Amino acid sequence: MDQLRDQIRKPESNARSRRLAHACVVVAIVLTGMAGILSWRISQRAAEDAAWVAHTFNVTAELELTLRNLDDVETGARGFALTGQDRFLEPYISGSYATRLDLEKLRTLISDNLGQQRRLGVLAEQAKTRLDAAADLVKAQQNLAKFPDASYLDRGKEVMDKIRA
C-alpha cells in the first residue's frame, strides 16, 4: 500500500516540479526582458543628457566668444580714439561684424528656451549699446581729429561692465 501511495504521489511531485521549473523559466525571461528594457532606457537617457551637456557647452562657448568680440570692439575703438591710427580700426570692425554673427548663432542655439531668449534679448540690447558707443567714439575721433573727451570712454566702460555681469 505504501508503494502504491508513493507511485501516486510521484506523478504529482513530478508535475509540481515541472510547473515550478516552468514558472522559474518564465520569471527569468521576464526579468531578463525587464533588465534589457531598463538598460536600453538608461542608455537613451545618458545619450540625451550628453546632448544637453554638449549644447550647454556650445552656448557657453558662444557667449564667451561674444564677450571676446565685444572686447575687441572696445579695444579697437579706444585704440583708434587715443592714437587716431587706422590700424586700431581692424579689431573694431572685425569685432563688430563677429558680434552680430555671434548673437545670431546664440539666437539659433537657444531657440527652444524662452527664458534664455529673454536674457539674450537683454544681452543683444547691451551689445547694440556697446557697438553704438564704440561707433560714436570712432566717429568722434574721425570728425574731431583729436582725442574725444572721457565721457565717450566712460559710456563704453559702463556698458561693458553690464555685459560682463
Side-chain angles (χ1 to χ4, degrees):
M1 184 116 162
D2 286 335
Q3 283 181 339
L4 187 59
R5 268 193 240 157
D6 286 343
Q7 287 176 353
I8 293 173
R9 285 187 183 157
K10 279 186 182 176
E12 280 180 22
S13 178
N14 287 340
R16 179 192 265 167
S17 294
R18 275 192 228 115
R19 282 193 307 261
L20 183 59
H22 287 327
C24 287
V25 168
V26 168
V27 167
I29 290 172
V30 168
L31 288 176
T32 301
M34 289 175 62
I37 291 169
L38 182 61
S39 175
W40 173 79
R41 180 62 190 128
I42 288 171
S43 69
Q44 290 293 323
R45 179 64 186 203
E48 290 171 12
D49 290 347
W52 278 112
V53 168
H55 174 76
T56 300
F57 281 128
N58 287 339
V59 171
T60 302
E62 196 62 35
L63 284 168
E64 289 172 0
L65 185 60
T66 303
L67 182 59
R68 275 197 308 268
N69 287 324
L70 283 168
D71 279 338
D72 286 349
V73 168
E74 182 177 26
T75 300
R78 283 185 182 180
F80 179 72
L82 290 170
T83 66
Q85 296 178 9
D86 288 343
R87 65 187 174 104
F88 287 100
L89 290 177
E90 190 280 320
Y92 161 74
I93 294 168
S94 64
S96 296
Y97 179 73
T99 297
R100 288 180 179 89
L101 293 178
D102 294 341
L103 292 171
E104 283 306 313
K105 188 170 182 184
L106 280 167
R107 195 167 275 110
T108 301
L109 283 172
I110 63 167
S111 62
D112 60 340
N113 188 316
L114 291 175
Q116 287 180 347
Q117 287 176 7
R118 282 191 292 274
R119 288 190 297 274
L120 179 61
V122 171
L123 175 63
E125 190 59 39
Q126 291 171 337
K128 181 185 179 313
T129 302
R130 177 67 211 127
L131 294 172
D132 291 345
D136 291 345
L137 187 59
V138 168
K139 286 177 189 169
Q141 171 59 301
Q142 289 170 335
N143 294 337
L144 300 174
K146 65 177 186 172
F147 182 73
D149 66 53
S151 66
Y152 286 101
L153 299 175
D154 289 340
R155 179 176 168 217
K157 182 184 179 327
E158 288 172 11
V159 172
M160 281 305 291
D161 288 346
K162 288 179 184 176
I163 289 171
R164 286 184 188 102

